[in-house]
Amino acid sequence: MTRADKAPAGDLLKRRNIRCAIYTRKSTSEGLDQDFNSLDAQREAAEAFIASQRSEGWTVQPQRYDDGGFTGANADRPALQQLLEDITDRRVDVVVVYKVDRLSRSLLDFARLIELFERHGVSLVSVTQSFNTATSMGRLTLNILLSFAQFERELISERTRDKMGAARRKGKWVGGTPPAGYRLPPGGGRLEIDAQEADLVREVYELYQQRKSMIQVVEELGRRGRITRQRQTSKGRVFGGRPLTVGNVRNILTNAVYAGKVRYDGELYDGEHEAIISEDVFQAVAEIMSANHWSGSADGREQTVVEFPLAGLLRCSSCDSALTPTRARSGNRCYCYYVCVSIHKKGRQSCPVKRLSAPVTEARVIDALRQLAADPQQLSELLEPDCQGRPALVEALQQAVSVFGSNWDLIFPDEQRRVLRLAVSRVMYHPSGAFTLVLSGDGLNKLAAEVAAGNSTGNQGAPCQLPDALELHVDAVAATEQPEESASASNGKAKKLTAASVLALAHRIDELVRSGQAKDYAAVARQLGLSRARVTQLSQLRFLAPAIQDEIIAGLADGVSQITERRLRTISAESSWDRQLQIWRTLLPAQLTQPDNKP
């Protein structure tokens, strides 16, 4: 950029033929259809000011920059954007406005505009406020005026919020589209009941109290031919007139307006309008919804992802909708399912895929990956025709899926989720009961690299790049072969490992380190697909008294199966083997503590 390209704004005072662009703005479109409106008045005043500076070489640009009906709170205005483009293209020397707030009411936006003006040697002139940014005094005046302009805008916003809050606390309707069941009179004012729609609202509350299921309510309303309100905007667009969805039903059931209330800032106030349902009915429905709601904790979303590892991966091939996690209660038991989103919205008739047992579905997906890891022939077939005689690809794929082997149940849930989402990009469920697992090549490459890094024996060589996507088909399971959903699984809990299993794994960890197959516990963690903390926990079990370890491995299952891994770790923390045995004897059933069973 040359010096001429970036001339100081002060040099404009010395130029001849100074090109002046007039910018005008009006916040509302009211009155713009008049022959002489506010924009014309602003432009006339600016033209008169420029004419007074004709001796300095000031001339008016023919291009008009008028923004009618646009707020000054942001810079998203068509005429302003056109002005900025012309400034960038060096077509403007001075921008003339009637008042500073016509250009912007935002201090941040104004600072950015002035920075752009200075970068291109353009000055700003206000007709009524008598300043010019080409001078230092003008820039000082601008900053002062701009600060007051932003203060005024924020003050207006605060007053508007306070006014609306006061109106809501008095139970007034402060604007917006009235909810179904109500209408606004032509002149505005309080809500009035629409008799036809009010019947629909009462029907929704009555059905929900009977069925206690939003999906069943939607299905029944569909059978009765009930539809949403149809309305037309001022621009001619038509909304509504469609069957109700679960979202529509939920909005009706949770809107306190129907009970004659107005909600503001988390509180309910008596409204001026007439109620459609009684407060008792509204409260009864709220209690039913609360009883059906299974996750109200702040970390409910993260908890859902951990307990439903296929959330976000599972899709329905019939309607190409996601299968979303949900729960159902029966007494004190809670059952976990994946349900098609279209059913959630439109009812069960919208998709042939109803709901899938979460534990059964997740087990089928993991079992498919386990079988893949244990079957070299299936690995080769999965890679064809991409394999093309390259056994290294088969080996890389086998390394990647080896994490789904026998140690999978020992991995913490969050680590299982990470590994599963690396390996699988999508799981398509077919109405026949079959699955298609779409494996991610990039994710499998990362898993293979992690497994290789955990094995310190020899050089692993350059990593092989697996294909971008591999499809693994899982056949449908016959009805007689469907695994039962256990009580523990229905509560979203993984099956617990036996004491013998965790003790064997603890010795396996010790063996890997002592034999040099893994240089430390971090390498063991990578090799077994466990977290570093989990490896440390398991390794503590090696310090159990030999007599206790013998009894665990000897198969005293009836007694040992009742002892948790946490309890075993607590016992192993005792430095005295005699003390460990004392605690151990108090935990076993009486028939196992007889002298014949003592070591």
Side-chain angles (χ1 to χ4, degrees):
M1 180 180 294
T2 64
R3 182 174 298 178
D5 292 331
K6 188 178 180 181
D11 291 350
L12 294 175
L13 299 178
K14 305 175 184 178
R15 291 180 183 172
R16 293 296 178 181
N17 190 24
I18 298 175
R19 300 162 297 179
C20 300
I22 301 173
Y23 178 77
T24 63
R25 181 184 65 81
K26 188 176 186 295
S27 297
T28 65
S29 57
E30 182 180 357
L32 292 180
D33 56 346
Q34 299 176 0
D35 293 337
F36 188 81
N37 55 48
S38 174
L39 299 180
D40 296 324
Q42 294 177 44
R43 185 171 182 85
E44 185 178 86
E47 287 176 343
F49 181 83
I50 294 172
S52 70
Q53 303 295 319
R54 188 176 296 114
S55 61
E56 300 294 331
W58 289 33
T59 59
V60 178
Q61 292 290 90
Q63 172 71 41
R64 294 181 68 102
Y65 304 96
D66 302 327
D67 276 324
F70 289 91
T71 177
N74 58 64
D76 188 15
R77 290 167 264 158
L80 177 60
Q81 294 302 319
Q82 182 60 51
L83 173 62
L84 298 180
E85 288 183 14
D86 291 345
I87 289 175
T88 304
D89 294 339
R90 307 288 180 180
R91 298 192 186 119
V92 176
D93 298 319
V94 175
V95 174
V96 181
V97 295
Y98 182 74
K99 290 178 65 176
V100 171
D101 61 2
R102 297 303 87 194
L103 188 62
S104 178
R105 283 181 176 270
S106 167
L107 185 60
L108 180 60
D109 286 342
F110 214 114
R112 291 171 177 168
L113 291 173
I114 293 301
E115 181 183 1
L116 185 143
F117 286 5
E118 292 182 348
R119 192 162 61 246
H120 294 88
V122 175
S123 65
L124 174 67
V125 174
S126 173
V127 174
T128 59
Q129 292 161 323
S130 300
F131 74 87
N132 187 334
T133 58
T135 66
S136 58
M137 182 58 70
R139 287 190 289 273
L140 174 62
T141 306
L142 170 65
N143 290 332
I144 295 173
L145 292 174
L146 186 56
S147 297
F148 276 101
Q150 176 161 332
F151 170 73
E152 180 185 8
R153 179 173 66 87
E154 293 175 351
L155 193 61
I156 292 172
S157 298
E158 290 176 3
R159 287 173 178 170
T160 302
R161 285 194 298 269
D162 292 343
K163 181 179 178 180
M164 292 181 65
R168 283 182 176 274
R169 285 190 288 271
K170 291 181 179 180
K172 296 182 179 293
W173 180 257
V174 296
T177 303
Y182 289 100
R183 63 170 179 265
L184 277 175
R190 69 181 61 183
L191 294 173
E192 296 179 350
I193 292 180
D194 184 311
Q196 185 176 357
E197 289 188 351
D199 289 340
L200 172 61
V201 172
R202 297 187 188 99
E203 194 174 357
V204 169
Y205 275 87
E206 180 182 352
L207 284 172
Y208 187 74
Q209 285 181 292
Q210 296 172 358
R211 309 292 178 87
K212 296 180 175 56
S213 167
M214 292 187 191
I215 293 179
Q216 292 184 22
V217 172
V218 169
E219 291 173 347
E220 180 59 29
L221 292 173
R223 283 191 289 268
R224 298 180 183 181
R226 302 295 253 162
I227 59 175
T228 60
R229 170 200 295 172
Q230 190 175 65
R231 61 186 181 88
Q232 186 174 3
T233 67
S234 58
K235 297 183 179 180
R237 296 183 62 186
V238 178
F239 293 91
R242 298 180 179 180
L244 278 80
T245 66
V246 170
N248 298 137
V249 171
R250 181 182 293 108
N251 290 338
I252 291 175
L253 295 176
T254 57
N255 196 338
V257 169
Y258 297 117
K261 301 292 183 179
V262 172
R263 190 184 301 275
Y264 176 71
D265 198 22
E267 299 291 335
L268 290 178
Y269 300 91
D270 291 334
E272 291 184 340
H273 60 281
E274 184 181 351
I276 294 178
I277 61 168
S278 67
E279 291 187 41
D280 292 339
V281 171
F282 184 78
Q283 184 61 33
V285 166
E287 291 175 358
I288 296 173
M289 294 180 67
S290 177
N292 289 342
H293 190 59
W294 56 265
S295 178
S297 60
D299 60 347
R301 182 181 297 273
E302 181 63 25
Q303 180 181 359
T304 299
V305 172
V306 171
E307 294 190 356
F308 293 89
L310 296 182
L313 300 179
L314 195 58
R315 298 191 68 83
C316 170
S317 67
S318 178
C319 60
D320 196 30
S321 298
L323 287 161
T324 184
T326 186
R327 292 183 179 178
R329 289 180 177 175
S330 177
N332 294 327
R333 298 183 66 182
C334 183
Y335 298 88
C336 302
Y337 299 98
Y338 290 99
V339 180
C340 184
V341 169
S342 62
I343 292 179
H344 257 310
K345 293 181 178 179
K346 305 175 184 177
R348 284 172 290 192
Q349 76 284 352
S350 61
C351 181
V353 176
K354 304 307 180 187
R355 61 183 184 181
L356 307 179
S357 166
V360 172
T361 303
E362 292 155 6
R364 289 188 63 195
V365 171
I366 297 302
D367 286 345
L369 293 169
R370 280 176 169 170
Q371 293 174 14
L372 180 64
D375 189 349
Q377 180 63 29
Q378 190 180 9
L379 289 168
S380 299
E381 293 174 356
L382 183 64
L383 285 167
E384 293 292 349
D386 299 295
C387 185
Q388 297 178 350
R390 293 176 59 190
L393 279 176
V394 179
E395 182 182 353
L397 179 58
Q398 188 170 24
Q399 273 189 324
V401 297
S402 65
V403 294
F404 297 98
S406 59
N407 293 331
W408 174 257
D409 290 331
L410 303 178
I411 303 178
F412 280 178
D414 55 348
E415 182 67 9
Q416 287 181 339
R417 170 178 171 267
R418 184 190 74 85
V419 171
L420 185 61
R421 289 171 181 269
L422 272 178
V424 181
S425 60
R426 188 169 65 257
V427 179
M428 298 298 296
Y429 178 78
H430 306 287
S432 63
F435 288 92
T436 299
L437 276 63
V438 181
L439 307 182
S440 167
D442 289 341
L444 292 171
N445 287 328
K446 292 177 181 178
L447 285 177
E450 290 182 11
V451 173
N455 190 344
S456 61
T457 59
N459 183 13
Q460 299 301 315
C464 296
Q465 293 300 312
L466 293 166
D468 292 339
L470 298 169
E471 291 191 358
L472 175 63
H473 186 72
V474 183
D475 293 331
V477 178
T480 56
E481 298 174 350
Q482 285 282 5
E484 295 183 358
E485 183 177 355
S486 64
S488 61
S490 65
N491 285 281
K493 299 179 181 178
K495 183 180 179 181
K496 294 183 179 179
L497 296 169
T498 64
S501 297
V502 292
L503 182 59
L505 185 55
H507 284 282
R508 172 61 176 160
I509 291 171
D510 183 56
E511 179 186 352
L512 288 173
V513 176
R514 286 191 295 103
S515 65
Q517 297 180 53
K519 60 181 179 180
D520 51 25
Y521 282 167
V524 172
R526 290 192 297 269
Q527 189 168 340
L528 297 181
L530 304 175
S531 68
R532 178 67 174 81
R534 180 61 173 150
V535 169
T536 302
Q537 284 181 338
L538 292 168
S539 64
Q540 295 175 4
L541 300 180
R542 296 183 295 107
F543 302 111
L544 285 170
I548 297 176
Q549 297 191 39
D550 289 343
E551 291 191 8
I552 292 175
I553 298 174
L556 300 178
D558 293 338
V560 176
S561 62
Q562 301 174 13
I563 302 175
T564 64
E565 178 191 332
R566 183 186 296 273
R567 177 66 73 178
L568 289 177
R569 292 204 305 268
T570 302
I571 296 174
S572 67
E574 294 287 342
S575 58
S576 169
W577 284 350
D578 290 338
R579 176 59 181 158
Q580 287 186 18
L581 284 168
Q582 290 176 6
I583 300 174
W584 174 256
R585 295 302 178 207
T586 63
L587 299 177
L588 292 177
Q591 67 270 21
L592 298 178
T593 60
Q594 299 302 319
D596 293 342
N597 291 318
K598 289 185 179 181

